[in-house]
Amino acid sequence: MPPTPTHCPYCALQCGMFVDAEAMITPREDVPANAGGALCQKGWTAGELLSAPDRVTAPLMRAHRDAPFERVSWEAALDRITAEVGRVQDRHGRDAVAVFGGGGLTNEKAYQLGKFARVALRTANIDYNGRFCMSSAAAAQNRAFGLDRGLPVPVTDVPEAGAILLAGGNVAETMPPFVRHLAAQRERGGRLIVVDPRETPTARLADLHLQLTPGTDLALANGLLHLAMTEGLIDEAYLARRVSGLEAVRTVVNAYWPERVERITGVPVPRLREAVRLLGTAARALILTARGAEQHATGTDTVTAFVNLALGLGLPGRPGSGFGCLTGQGNGQGGREHGQKADQLPGYRRIDDPAARRHVARVWGVRPEDLPGPGLSAAELLGALGTEDGPRALLVFGSNPVVSAPDSARVEKRLDALEFLAVADFVPSETAMRADVVLPTAQWAEETGTVTNLEGRVLLRRAARPRPAGVRDDLEIIAALAERLKAPGRFSTEPSEVFEELRAASAGGIADYSGITYERIVAETGVFWPCPGEGHPGTPRVFLDRFATPDGRARMVPVEHRGPVERPCADYPLHLTTGRVLAHYQSGAQTRRVRALVDAVPEAFVELHPDLAGRLGVDDGATVRVTSRRGSAVAKVRVCATIRRDTVFMPFHWAGAARANLLTNPALDPISRMPEFKVCAVRVDAVDQDRGTGSRG
Amino acid sequence: MRTVIVGNGMAGSRLVGELRSRDRRMPITVFGAEKARPYNRVMLSNVLAGASAPGDIHLTDPGWYADNDVDARLGLPITRIDRRERTVTSADGDVTPYDALVLATGSTPVVPPLPGLDAEGVVVFRTLEDCRAIVRHAESARSAVVVGGGLLGLEAARGLAGRGVPVTVVHRAGHLMDRQLDPEAGGVLRRTLHDLGVRTLLNARLSAARAEVGRVSGVELDDGTVLAADLVVLACGVRPETGLATASGLTVDRGVLVDDRLRSVDDPGVHAIGECAQHQGTVYGLVAPAWEQARVVADVLTGRTARYRGSRLVTRLKATGIELAAMGETGLGDDEAEVVRFTDPTRGTYKKIVIRDGLLVGAILLGETGTAGLLTQLYDRAEPLPADRLHLLFDGLGTGTPVDTPVRIPDTATVCRCNNVTKGRIRASWEAGARDVPGVAAETRATTGCGGCRDTVVGILEWLDRQDPGPHHEPGAEVSRL
């Protein structure tokens, strides 16, 4: 059997790869994202996931949370879930059963999960971990452009940009093959500007690094727009023709003169000027944000400030130029388009829009009035679990919130307060281990389905290997539960059939997939949405003619810097920021099971500036306790001069005592409901009895 | 709570915004003496320099007051405050009641009591209208004199020089910006200005302005010097505008005396912020303190607990071609504090850092301000200083990874970060026969991620080949390594 062409299970770049019968991986040459056959270590070793030693291969169940798990039949597990759902809904109402999905699920599964929640459970409460990823960028792009697609142009346009500003993204570690596009850009004389509190490997590639104070990205962006205005770099003709709202934004950014912005952000004025000059004089330029700028209680406004800058410079809607968000999870883009968000129906439709409800209800064969309304967003949903008015039972698919949600000790308490928890996963994740029932699921290379990568390009992942005996895929699980719950309509277990239904449900919506077929995806190496008909070529570059707003004009929205919710104080004098390392992914539930990746980075750590380490009297390798208002985490020190003196960094991939999310602030953005992962106030103390002596080497 | 704000300049307009962002419903009335919507005074130097149009520096757009339900009475000064009745009377005779009154009346420029200063062509530099007048005069002026070598005077002089008007600054003290700079910095600044076409006279006192048919033609100094000028800009400082406060019986020293909640010490119903207020003996003349005060008052008036503890002053000169930041106590010498200095007069660079008890208490950066962001934050937050003081003076020192050669890096060093490949493993693959990049990639996956380590891998292979050409080596092999 020849190796199967498919895509990587990890990040939103969705590198093309072949998987053979032995799960050996080789890169594909034909996928633009990793053209030239690039893969990072996670991609190369992804095959090992398929045979993770502790893989779950039979349903696990227990009578109560203190009892040990027992292997049970699928019938027994599904019957138990059905019975618990019925009992909880009878007693507490339909919304008392909630669903929590994931940005790694294929479009088909995300769609089916949303339909299952609305049609089979008839609960309003479904949301997903993508709320923790791109929701701020999504809200800001919808507000400005009327449409939210990660990148406005294909990655093959990246090398054409004369200047790129990347705010809060560390692609050299989070999606290494993307760096090749940046390298090609720089070979052609293009310039790269990186905004990050840390001098990351990505920042080291940059021509200009703006090493700002955590939580001040919005002030920085407003300051850059101020400079663009006073230095005559604004595109007045473009603004007059294509944009509304300039005057209100001008009056707000007038208060962000360079010296004030320098005092807020710590970024020297000459660097601000240089950044604006590079962006404003390039023939083509891209402004990109990622989680560093987005994961704040002011995330939507922060992204809006960068969108305003892009609009002021006349970038969006021009070939090779624009504003974009580097999505994070494998299907971070598609996962938010087809109905697993609390406020949305397939096709990026609003669930409170009567026309959208009528359309989707018709496809689903139900009455519009039977569809529930908007439910709780992810962090609010997790926070309400087991409370008087909150959900009493939860079904989790493709997510590990015990590690990935903010203030995760509280999440554990909420999960434990549930009357019933079922988790579908392929490994015994930290969240699965708190469940009543664990359903073993298939993985990326064992099932077929589409994903939409950071470009908005819809790709086909294909089953390359049989799944282990005893394992079912999510579509089968959802169909079996829907049948037991006597749901109306059809719940196919065939991905291509589900995709056909998704096409119909998305038709006429913002994210219109109706012209996309599996055959076209294969023939065209992916199809860009929106694609409203089979004769439509897809949309590699958005907004060339008009923006997706009612009047076709982009909207500038004035936004003010408010700063982080927690500022350093006497008790918690430092900023904590969190992020990823190259060898690991998200909650680590996958990558912590791959030997080479564990060897590369075996455990969590805390980055400290040498001056701070000196003040604390700790050396490289010493153990420290990091404490915020929510709790403490313990990890080893890495001393490095690449971080600000007032900031410490922890990666968030580990469970247990080194869990960064024990510390993070669950304060939410008022629009996107994004938690403030990227900055909180902490103190760092040496842990005396366990001083590292370098013995680990 | 009906809140009335008197004054719609930098302080008053900021307070309106701060209040509205906290409370959507509180009735707010703001009186502004100027007809114009509030504008950013800091940007007046941009207007003078021609970088911003006068219409482009406003801080609210025309629809803002209506959209935000704020009653804005622009171009309408207040003539009387009745504290017993809790009302204010505006110039049109209207009486407006208040529950809370905030005075943000700012200050007025000092015009020295000297003959001739009422002539056409003598202007102060304070408002947008003043700025327009200066620009108008500058269009035809053959030479200009700026009276006052402080922050505002130098910004005006630089703007005029940029417009091609020969300009002389007349300054009373022995060095420029004497309130913010030490004499040495003042000297360096003077040279920089000279190179930009601004002449400066120190220890010079104006005694009169000369006029011809009502229009200024020059100035006289008290040593008898006469300078020709058809434009004279007065930048001799400002005086807090406290007339209303005094007339209503509030205690006024230089400014309206206020406590930590910015309340008048006489009347808890009256607050004062900005340049008309005096807190702990200090009247602040910069924007940042006024905005901090606005934030505190907005908190206080919306029932939050907030206290004003005074501000740390950072002065920035906004003048094209001159980088200058000054903060805190810049005049201290080596006997009083730890002083770190760097001077490069030929390049116009002067840097001085003043440290006491391990904390930054003052700094001057002139000519090159790359560390101004760092210093301001260290000063604002009173944070511990870097062990190596060089970081305080020079940007970009001490971070970054040292560039190393393939020869010197140890075997344990990671060469390919994307695939976690060490130099040792590349050496091992070479020893096993891999002689080019594809060979090493096949063996170790190095170079297959971001591709950034390719040059290093080539370098290591070349070095290994030189160490031991070995049986596989062929002449010219280096060129085929890619």
Side-chain angles (χ1 to χ4, degrees):
Chain A
M1 200 175 103
T4 306
T6 185
H7 295 271
C8 180
Y10 296 111
C11 81
L13 198 55
Q14 285 298 295
C15 291
M17 53 171 56
F18 292 104
V19 180
D20 74 9
E22 270 68 54
M24 288 300 291
I25 283 166
T26 45
R28 280 166 72 179
E29 302 272 345
D30 61 327
V31 175
N34 61 323
L39 286 181
C40 75
Q41 195 179 13
K42 293 191 293 288
W44 279 110
T45 58
E48 217 178 304
L49 269 181
L50 298 165
S51 52
D54 58 349
R55 178 123 190 222
V56 189
T57 53
L60 304 176
M61 197 161 90
R62 51 185 169 182
H64 57 88
R65 301 283 168 81
D66 298 325
F69 279 112
E70 289 173 35
R71 293 165 71 100
V72 297
S73 71
W74 274 97
E75 294 310 304
L78 294 170
D79 284 346
R80 168 88 184 273
I81 295 173
T82 315
E84 298 276 6
V85 163
R87 186 183 57 76
V88 167
Q89 288 195 326
D90 284 348
R91 196 176 301 167
H92 304 290
R94 296 189 184 283
D95 292 345
V97 175
V99 177
F100 199 84
L105 301 177
T106 61
N107 290 322
E108 289 78 358
K109 297 198 287 189
Y111 166 83
Q112 197 81 318
L113 197 59
K115 178 181 173 183
F116 172 77
R118 274 67 178 245
V119 168
L121 297 173
R122 293 181 63 186
T123 176
N125 287 324
I126 171 169
D127 214 59
Y128 80 127
N129 63 17
R131 187 70 74 170
F132 301 154
C133 293
M134 282 75 57
S135 59
S136 288
Q141 292 212 64
N142 280 323
R143 184 157 78 172
F145 305 133
L147 181 148
D148 152 42
R149 201 180 84 179
L151 290 181
V153 296
V155 286
T156 44
D157 279 9
V158 168
E160 313 273 333
I164 296 176
L165 179 140
L166 171 56
N170 180 14
V171 286
E173 295 201 81
T174 57
M175 46 176 68
F178 187 83
V179 171
R180 290 179 179 242
H181 303 291
L182 296 178
Q185 180 240 358
R186 300 190 60 231
E187 267 166 35
R188 295 182 194 199
R191 311 295 286 271
L192 175 66
I193 306 157
V194 170
V195 180
D196 201 304
R198 295 192 300 144
E199 191 189 311
T200 61
T202 312
R204 283 201 282 279
L205 298 173
D207 301 282
L208 189 60
H209 176 204
L210 311 181
Q211 191 167 12
L212 81 181
T213 309
T216 63
D217 308 67
L218 198 166
L220 181 97
N222 274 357
L224 294 177
L225 183 54
H226 178 104
L227 275 169
M229 287 176 169
T230 56
E231 313 232 327
L233 295 168
I234 288 299
D235 190 337
E236 301 281 359
Y238 167 96
L239 286 164
R241 199 160 40 83
R242 301 204 59 183
V243 179
S244 54
L246 171 65
E247 275 318 301
V249 168
R250 188 200 298 276
T251 57
V252 166
V253 302
N254 273 345
Y256 291 81
W257 63 93
E259 294 78 10
R260 176 176 177 236
V261 170
E262 178 187 83
R263 197 168 178 181
I264 297 171
T265 62
V267 178
V269 172
R271 293 198 188 193
L272 298 172
R273 281 188 205 285
E274 179 65 1
V276 166
R277 194 187 63 76
L278 290 175
L279 289 168
T281 56
R284 294 175 163 200
L286 286 167
I287 293 177
L288 306 174
T289 62
R291 302 309 82 68
E294 299 161 10
Q295 288 178 325
H296 295 278
T298 56
T300 304
D301 283 355
T302 300
V303 175
T304 296
F306 283 105
V307 170
N308 288 342
L309 175 63
L311 288 170
L313 296 170
L315 305 179
R318 289 216 169 127
S321 290
F323 170 84
C325 148
L326 295 177
T327 52
Q329 295 192 78
N331 196 26
Q333 181 72 47
R336 68 178 183 263
E337 298 166 358
H338 298 297
Q340 60 173 332
K341 256 177 128 168
D343 47 2
Q344 284 182 6
L345 290 171
Y348 224 125
R349 290 181 153 93
R350 292 178 59 102
I351 202 166
D352 55 6
D353 169 9
R357 294 170 67 88
R358 276 197 303 277
H359 174 84
V360 173
R362 192 163 55 240
V363 174
W364 286 351
V366 297
R367 295 181 306 174
E369 56 270 32
D370 289 342
L371 295 178
L376 296 169
S377 74
E380 291 164 300
L381 192 154
L382 294 173
L385 295 176
T387 62
E388 187 58 35
D389 301 318
R392 306 299 181 103
L394 179 70
L395 313 180
V396 177
F397 289 80
S399 188
N400 187 15
V402 164
V403 178
S404 64
D407 192 5
S408 55
R410 194 180 64 142
V411 171
E412 289 177 333
K413 281 201 201 88
R414 298 309 347 138
L415 290 172
D416 292 348
L418 284 167
E419 292 175 24
F420 180 71
L421 174 64
V423 175
D425 208 330
F426 49 85
V427 291
S429 73
E430 288 75 16
T431 304
M433 287 302 92
R434 303 187 98 84
D436 299 284
V437 175
V438 181
L439 301 176
T441 64
Q443 298 189 40
W444 61 288
E446 298 162 357
E447 56 188 358
T448 292
T450 59
V451 291
T452 307
N453 79 347
L454 80 169
E455 304 164 279
R457 194 193 303 250
V458 184
L459 303 165
L460 185 63
R461 272 200 207 151
R462 272 181 280 216
R465 299 221 315 164
R467 67 186 79 140
V471 163
R472 294 190 184 181
D473 70 27
D474 290 330
L475 292 180
E476 291 169 339
I477 293 169
I478 292 169
L481 287 172
E483 188 189 349
R484 279 172 166 75
L485 291 165
K486 299 186 173 45
R490 185 168 138 70
F491 283 84
S492 173
T493 59
E494 188 54 53
S496 59
E497 288 178 9
V498 177
F499 190 74
E500 289 303 307
E501 195 183 303
L502 182 159
R503 290 175 61 194
S506 75
I510 294 171
D512 191 330
Y513 280 41
S514 61
I516 304 175
T517 64
Y518 279 15
E519 294 71 27
R520 277 190 69 178
I521 295 173
V522 173
E524 300 169 29
T525 326
V527 180
F528 289 86
W529 73 261
C531 181
E534 289 195 28
H536 189 282
T539 313
R541 294 169 187 85
V542 289
F543 315 137
L544 293 182
D545 304 318
R546 66 192 308 277
F547 293 98
T549 52
D551 63 0
R553 295 168 79 91
R555 291 178 287 239
M556 282 179 125
V557 179
V559 287
E560 289 275 10
H561 165 75
R562 301 191 288 283
V565 173
E566 288 182 354
R567 287 160 206 261
C569 60
D571 290 339
Y572 304 98
L574 298 163
H575 299 286
L576 167 74
T577 190
T578 66
R580 285 168 52 185
V581 298
L582 195 149
H584 291 281
Y585 184 69
Q586 306 303 75
S587 78
Q590 290 153 285
T591 50
R592 285 186 274 118
R593 290 177 162 83
V594 176
R595 190 179 33 82
L597 302 179
V598 173
D599 287 348
V601 187
E603 58 186 354
F605 55 86
V606 185
E607 278 188 10
L608 302 182
H609 189 278
D611 282 347
L612 177 58
R615 286 212 304 279
L616 293 167
V618 295
D619 296 326
D620 209 50
T623 302
V624 290
R625 175 177 294 112
V626 183
T627 306
S628 77
R629 289 181 174 82
R630 287 152 296 281
S632 291
V634 176
K636 295 243 167 78
V637 167
R638 275 195 193 177
V639 176
C640 56
T642 53
I643 191 162
R644 294 173 54 96
R645 292 174 181 83
D646 59 4
T647 304
V648 301
F649 167 83
M650 285 185 78
F652 56 65
H653 310 290
W654 282 271
R659 215 177 338 162
N661 279 323
L662 289 168
L663 307 168
T664 49
N665 189 346
L668 295 183
D669 181 287
I671 299 169
S672 66
R673 319 309 285 169
M674 166 74 82
E676 184 140 292
F677 283 107
K678 276 296 181 275
V679 55
C680 67
V682 297
R683 102 178 144 255
V684 178
D685 300 296
V687 176
D688 285 335
Q689 69 275 15
D690 190 18
R691 286 279 176 96
T693 56
S695 57
R696 284 189 67 93
Chain B
M1 173 136 83
R2 292 166 302 176
T3 299
V4 168
I5 300 160
V6 182
N8 200 22
M10 293 297 277
S13 67
R14 185 73 179 182
L15 176 60
V16 173
E18 294 277 1
L19 281 172
R20 208 24 113 224
S21 73
R22 285 166 178 72
D23 185 335
R24 300 300 310 165
R25 289 204 299 269
M26 167 190 283
I28 301 173
T29 304
V30 58
F31 292 90
E34 289 180 63
K35 256 207 160 59
R37 280 179 282 139
Y39 53 85
N40 185 354
R41 240 179 258 289
V42 176
M43 291 178 81
L44 289 179
S45 56
N46 291 28
V47 175
L48 207 55
S52 298
D56 282 350
I57 66 166
H58 291 290
L59 290 166
T60 57
D61 68 296
W64 192 89
Y65 289 115
D67 293 347
N68 289 277
D69 198 20
V70 169
D71 181 10
R73 318 263 185 96
L74 305 186
L76 198 56
I78 291 297
T79 53
R80 181 166 180 269
I81 298 169
D82 186 331
R83 291 200 288 120
R84 215 175 35 209
E85 295 296 320
R86 299 199 161 220
T87 60
V88 295
T89 307
S90 45
D92 57 357
D94 256 18
V95 175
T96 308
Y98 67 80
D99 300 308
L101 177 67
V102 183
L103 299 176
T105 46
S107 53
T108 41
V110 171
V111 178
L114 298 171
L117 293 183
D118 52 354
E120 169 78 8
V122 179
V123 285
V124 293
F125 182 30
R126 171 73 187 169
T127 65
L128 187 52
E129 268 319 303
D130 298 336
C131 203
R132 283 198 168 101
I134 296 171
V135 171
R136 201 167 54 238
H137 287 294
E139 277 161 13
S140 60
R142 281 158 301 169
S143 63
V145 164
V146 173
V147 184
L151 188 70
L152 221 52
L154 295 186
E155 287 183 7
R158 175 67 187 99
L160 289 170
R163 286 175 177 271
V165 182
V167 56
T168 304
V169 174
V170 175
H171 188 53
R172 291 166 63 121
H175 67 274
L176 296 171
M177 287 182 70
D178 49 291
R179 285 172 63 182
Q180 292 90 8
L181 302 182
D182 63 2
E184 204 174 349
V188 176
L189 176 61
R190 189 179 183 205
R191 251 168 87 158
T192 304
L193 281 163
H194 181 266
D195 292 345
L196 292 166
V198 177
R199 189 172 158 231
T200 46
L201 298 180
L202 303 176
N203 300 306
R205 285 165 184 269
L206 194 72
S207 57
R210 289 185 172 184
E212 285 167 20
V213 274
R215 198 185 152 78
V216 72
S217 62
V219 297
E220 295 172 19
L221 306 186
D222 65 356
D223 65 356
T225 310
V226 177
L227 302 168
D230 38 20
L231 169 60
V232 174
V233 178
L234 299 177
C236 314
V238 294
R239 187 176 293 125
E241 183 58 70
T242 54
L244 275 175
T246 306
S248 68
L250 296 170
T251 306
V252 173
D253 178 21
R254 278 177 302 127
V256 182
L257 291 195
V258 293
D259 64 12
D260 286 356
R261 286 180 228 184
L262 287 320
R263 296 181 308 192
S264 155
V265 293
D266 312 295
D267 184 343
V270 180
H271 293 72
I273 59 173
E275 293 181 323
C276 71
Q278 180 172 336
H279 175 263
Q280 301 265 358
T282 304
V283 174
Y284 294 96
L286 294 173
V287 176
W291 284 11
E292 283 174 46
Q293 293 170 357
R295 198 169 60 230
V296 170
V297 169
D299 279 342
V300 168
L301 293 181
T302 53
R304 294 166 170 82
T305 51
R307 296 291 182 275
Y308 179 69
R309 308 283 187 204
S311 295
R312 291 175 170 254
L313 294 182
V314 179
T315 305
R316 304 298 299 263
L317 185 68
K318 297 246 317 174
T320 316
I322 313 172
E323 297 288 338
L324 171 61
M327 63 198 81
E329 302 170 56
T330 57
L332 298 181
D334 296 292
D335 46 340
E336 300 155 289
E338 177 191 344
V339 178
V340 185
R341 276 195 200 82
F342 173 83
T343 319
D344 183 355
T346 55
R347 294 173 57 91
T349 308
Y350 178 80
K351 302 183 180 197
K352 178 181 184 181
I353 310 290
V354 186
I355 299 163
R356 208 160 44 192
D357 302 326
L359 298 175
L360 184 71
V361 295
I364 298 170
L365 295 175
L366 175 57
E368 201 280 311
T369 55
T371 57
L374 172 67
L375 292 184
T376 343
Q377 292 193 335
L378 289 169
Y379 176 65
D380 280 344
R381 304 180 193 160
E383 271 181 26
L385 297 182
D388 185 348
R389 307 298 196 217
L390 275 180
H391 297 301
L392 299 172
L393 294 181
F394 301 101
D395 183 30
L397 276 188
T399 56
T401 19
V403 179
D404 230 325
T405 69
V407 183
R408 277 214 306 264
I409 57 173
D411 268 4
T412 52
T414 302
V415 172
C416 172
R417 222 184 35 252
C418 300
N419 282 289
N420 195 35
V421 183
T422 59
K423 179 185 169 190
R425 277 184 60 205
I426 292 169
R427 182 208 290 271
S429 75
W430 179 86
E431 281 163 0
R435 284 297 187 269
D436 54 13
V437 170
V440 172
E443 195 72 22
T444 66
R445 293 175 188 153
T447 73
T448 64
C450 74
C453 63
R454 173 175 284 258
D455 289 350
T456 312
V457 172
V458 170
I460 291 171
L461 289 175
E462 286 172 354
W463 167 67
L464 288 167
D465 285 349
R466 279 197 303 276
Q467 300 291 104
D468 170 17
H472 303 282
H473 184 263
E474 289 164 25
E478 286 85 353
V479 294
S480 64
R481 291 207 185 284
L482 303 177

